[in-house]
Amino acid sequence: MKIVVTSIFVQDQDKALEFYSEKLGFVKKEDVPVGEFRWITLVSPNDQNGTELLLEPNDHPAAKEYQKKIFADGIPATMFGVADIRNEYKRLLEKGVKFTMEPTEMGKITIAVFDDTCGNLIQIVQK
Amino acid sequence: MNWDKDAIFKALGDSTRRLILDELSERNELTLYELTARLIMKHNLSISRQAIAKHLTTLEDAGLVKSKRKGKYRVLMFNNEPLKHILTGWIE
């Protein structure tokens, strides 16, 4: 078994698609209408057959509550890997991305946390 | 305010909780996530977020830790008032 799709709750699918593609640099893979919402997934530009990230509407009240509460406690909703975290940090800052934690060494790994503007904190890690 | 001495000493009687107070007195206004990261990173503790949240409840019951909403975040703060009240009776 392998991980094919992983999802993240978003408040607004269009806004999320813009942030995840234009700011973060992911590539849109699927964009299919499903009822009131869309099935939108993105992939890494250099691993387009790899794991897809699904932008899931936070339409369910429990999803909204979950998102709000972990955000308030500063807890990231998910984590992405980067090759050079300081470069990535600089690149994203220049694009206007707001960080809640600058690159911080934690033993063998370095992490940073930013706001995806769609209701989530995202952690990036270099290991 | 009447501070509950038993609750305060119970809260202080645990090394992890004292470490939490150390962290908060050094850098006030941490989110739960930042506090967790610092405990694990700086102090090499293997502790779960759940366990930290439990310790925080004990500290909050004793009035030693307070939390407030700051924009979209909830931040934790050290409140040393109860300690002052406890010590004045013995020291003065």
Side-chain angles (χ1 to χ4, degrees), chain B residues 42-70:
Chain B
K42 266 181 68 186
H43 303 286
N44 233 350
L45 289 191
S46 58
I47 188 167
S48 70
R49 211 173 268 147
Q50 241 78 10
I52 293 173
K54 265 191 171 172
H55 284 311
L56 284 171
T57 308
T58 309
L59 288 165
E60 279 177 279
D61 288 346
L64 293 166
V65 165
K66 290 197 289 195
S67 69
K68 70 168 181 198
R69 286 202 72 87
K70 206 180 172 191

Side-chain angles (χ1 to χ4, degrees), chain A:
Chain A
M1 214 179 281
K2 65 176 186 173
I3 299 167
V4 183
V5 172
T6 179
S7 67
I8 187 143
F9 286 120
V10 295
Q11 292 158 342
D12 177 326
Q13 285 189 304
D14 282 313
K15 193 177 164 196
L17 181 58
E18 194 187 315
F19 183 89
Y20 280 82
S21 55
E22 283 165 30
K23 305 265 184 188
L24 302 190
F26 291 125
V27 178
K28 186 166 84 173
K29 184 154 186 177
E30 309 261 8
D31 189 349
V32 193
V34 187
E36 180 187 349
F37 297 105
R38 286 141 70 200
W39 177 268
I40 308 176
T41 69
L42 298 122
V43 288
S44 298
N46 24 11
D47 187 17
Q48 302 207 13
N49 292 315
T51 309
E52 293 172 46
L53 178 70
L54 172 68
L55 303 178
E56 179 131 339
N58 74 345
D59 195 42
H60 193 285
K64 281 197 183 75
E65 192 69 12
Y66 160 81
Q67 225 184 356
K68 221 169 103 190
K69 286 197 166 156
I70 64 164
F71 190 100
D73 278 338
I75 300 168
T78 192
M79 172 156 86
F80 301 133
V82 294
D84 183 333
I85 198 163
R86 280 170 214 282
N87 263 347
E88 200 69 38
Y89 173 68
K90 224 180 111 216
R91 186 181 76 83
L92 294 175
L93 273 187
E94 280 163 10
K95 284 182 173 259
V97 174
K98 292 210 166 52
F99 278 79
T100 59
M101 186 190 271
E102 20 181 276
T104 307
E105 275 178 43
M106 278 185 76
K108 287 180 191 157
I109 61 168
T110 308
I111 59 169
V113 181
F114 62 82
D115 185 339
D116 79 350
T117 70
C118 304
N120 310 294
L121 294 172
I122 303 291
Q123 179 163 303
I124 49 175
V125 60
Q126 176 192 331
K127 49 177 172 178

Side-chain angles (χ1 to χ4, degrees), chain B residues 2 26-28 34 37 42 45 64 67 77 81 87-88:
Chain B
N2 218 352
E26 199 179 293
R27 197 173 150 239
N28 224 342
E34 285 169 309
K42 266 181 68 186
L45 289 191
L64 293 166
S67 69
M77 292 165 304
E81 283 301 314
L87 292 178
T88 44

